[in-house]
Amino acid sequence: MDDIKERYEQDEIYFVSCKGSLLPCWSNKLADPLKCKICKFNQKSAFSSDFKKVKQLYIDDYASNEEVAREFETLGLGIYQTNEDIRNLEYKGMSIGYGALSSYISSTRNRDPLIDETFKSYFNGLLKTQIFIKIAIDRIIQEINPEIITIFN
């Protein structure tokens, strides 16, 4: 953050994070409420008085889990049998299946999961997180019209 603040000293800086709607996520793979609270505390601490220039936006304010669930069901995104089916899942031009599978493999090191109901109940959450991010980020970009977007985790 220090590097970004110094590099773009004359610019408006927006930091987009969540209030807990993006579960499971990379930092909280099992959607533990305590880990979520710690993450929110760390975000708040990061924007102490030294970072008054940074405007914090919450992805949760730009999409809802209900909207995501409707999109997920309407488009039949939970219908897959193989890894190849998953890799081919798209939402508004974004390869959500590939992104979710990459997150799954990174956290489990399992490149060839057994696609059963247990897997689907977890994995569908990853897919819905991808949809949530796509909806919210599209709306944030439309609202702010940023010149530069930097992504880090």
Side-chain angles (χ1 to χ4, degrees):
M1 283 301 294
D2 289 328
D3 181 50
I4 290 172
K5 183 181 165 198
E6 289 173 21
R7 187 180 305 165
Y8 303 106
E9 193 172 329
Q10 303 303 316
D11 298 317
E12 288 182 299
I13 299 171
Y14 294 89
F15 182 82
V16 180
S17 60
C18 87
K19 297 179 194 172
S21 61
L22 296 180
L23 294 174
C25 69
W26 182 252
S27 301
N28 193 355
K29 295 173 185 78
L30 298 177
D32 180 345
L34 181 58
K35 283 188 179 182
C36 206
K37 283 184 180 185
I38 291 168
C39 182
K40 287 187 257 184
F41 173 79
N42 288 338
Q43 288 175 40
K44 190 174 182 179
S45 298
F47 298 106
S48 62
S49 59
D50 294 342
F51 287 97
K52 286 184 179 172
K53 179 180 171 41
V54 176
K55 298 174 183 173
Q56 187 165 18
L57 299 178
Y58 294 100
I59 204 164
D60 314 57
D61 296 334
Y62 292 87
S64 72
N65 287 321
E66 294 78 17
E67 175 182 20
V68 169
R70 279 192 309 274
E71 290 285 288
F72 186 81
E73 293 303 321
T74 300
L75 297 173
L77 295 170
I79 301 170
Y80 49 86
Q81 305 279 332
T82 66
N83 280 350
E84 190 61 33
D85 292 343
I86 291 171
R87 284 187 194 95
N88 290 325
L89 292 174
E90 288 195 4
Y91 178 74
K92 294 188 178 182
M94 186 173 97
S95 298
I96 64 166
Y98 202 88
L101 191 58
S102 176
S103 294
Y104 176 81
I105 292 170
S106 292
S107 65
T108 65
R109 301 294 182 219
N110 180 3
R111 292 177 177 254
D112 193 25
L114 172 64
I115 301 175
D116 60 7
E117 290 309 309
T118 302
F119 172 83
K120 283 187 171 189
S121 69
Y122 178 76
F123 194 77
N124 286 350
L126 294 176
L127 291 170
K128 289 175 183 176
T129 296
Q130 299 285 315
I131 295 168
F132 197 108
I133 291 168
K134 173 66 172 155
I135 291 170
I137 294 299
D138 282 353
R139 289 176 181 163
I140 290 168
I141 289 170
Q142 185 175 16
E143 179 180 306
I144 296 171
N145 194 23
E147 292 177 25
I148 298 171
I149 298 173
T150 302
I151 300 172
F152 67 94
N153 58 14

